[in-house]
Amino acid sequence: MTRLSPLPPEEWDDDVRDALSPLLAAERANPRDAGNILGTLVRNRPLTRAYLAFNAYLLKGSTLSARIREVALMRAVLWRRCDYLWDHHVELARRAGLTAAEIDGIRSGSVDGELDALVLRAVDELERDSTIADDTWTGLGRHLDDLQRMDLVFTIGGYNLLAVAVNTFGIEPE
């Protein structure tokens, strides 16, 4: 059930485009290219501007590889039962090098490779315990440095937050 709909096209102005600028280039800051999620978030321009600066870091500036980012965030949005973000990120995960079998493994919790398994375990532990267990943190340290592990925690948390917003606002697929 939609609680908040995207901002109507006739209400898009320079302030809306400015709010989207941390993530979208000017030519994409329009109702069609922004999509339902950004079109809905932009109803609150100051919040959108602040959140998108953070989200742009997670997507473009993070020390994590695109592959690890997608493994982590897909598992996180799965916990939140956010089909919108799951469906949106399947294609991004493929572009990051994940196969259909690996994407299915994220869903089932059964992946090959130590790092992917540790990332899933970290997401699951954060969901259950609001922390990562010492042995998981240490295992991640065999593959990721401290900055990457920090980025991992914030990626998981950031996408948990976004999934909660998408679900609560009732954002519909394009």
Side-chain angles (χ1 to χ4, degrees):
M1 172 178 74
T2 300
R3 291 180 172 161
L4 293 172
S5 59
L7 191 69
E10 62 273 10
E11 293 183 35
W12 283 62
D13 58 17
D14 288 341
D15 192 42
V16 169
R17 286 182 279 284
D18 181 63
L20 295 170
S21 67
L23 189 63
L24 290 182
E27 64 273 7
R28 292 195 55 228
N30 60 68
R32 186 198 59 205
D33 291 336
N36 289 346
I37 190 167
L38 296 180
T40 301
L41 292 179
V42 81
R43 289 182 163 281
N44 183 334
R45 289 153 187 76
L47 175 65
T48 298
R49 192 175 293 109
Y51 178 74
L52 289 185
F54 173 64
N55 191 254
Y57 172 80
L58 296 178
L59 288 172
K60 299 175 182 179
S62 170
T63 60
L64 294 176
S65 69
R67 176 193 170 77
I68 294 304
R69 179 193 68 230
E70 292 301 322
V71 169
L73 76 83
M74 289 185 77
R75 185 68 175 181
V77 303
L78 182 66
W79 270 100
R80 295 284 164 237
R81 297 180 304 280
C82 185
D83 294 337
Y84 181 101
L85 288 174
W86 176 271
D87 293 344
H88 180 74
H89 277 272
V90 165
E91 179 56 32
L92 296 174
R94 286 186 184 128
R95 280 191 242 150
L98 280 93
T99 65
E102 289 170 323
I103 292 168
D104 288 343
I106 294 168
R107 185 181 291 279
S108 70
S110 177
V111 293
D112 293 328
E114 182 184 24
L115 179 54
D116 286 355
L118 285 163
V119 169
L120 291 193
R121 199 161 88 197
V123 174
D124 294 353
E125 289 171 358
L126 283 169
E127 175 62 29
R128 280 192 317 268
D129 307 323
S130 297
T131 191
I132 295 174
D134 288 340
D135 61 328
T136 304
W137 184 260
T138 299
L140 287 167
R142 289 193 296 273
H143 303 274
L144 307 174
D145 63 26
D146 288 344
L147 296 180
Q148 290 171 309
R149 289 186 289 181
M150 290 175 72
D151 280 344
L152 178 65
V153 170
F154 277 89
T155 297
I156 295 164
Y159 276 88
N160 271 327
L161 170 63
L162 186 58
V164 166
V166 167
N167 289 343
T168 301
F169 302 156
I171 296 175
E172 307 249 340
E174 277 69 34

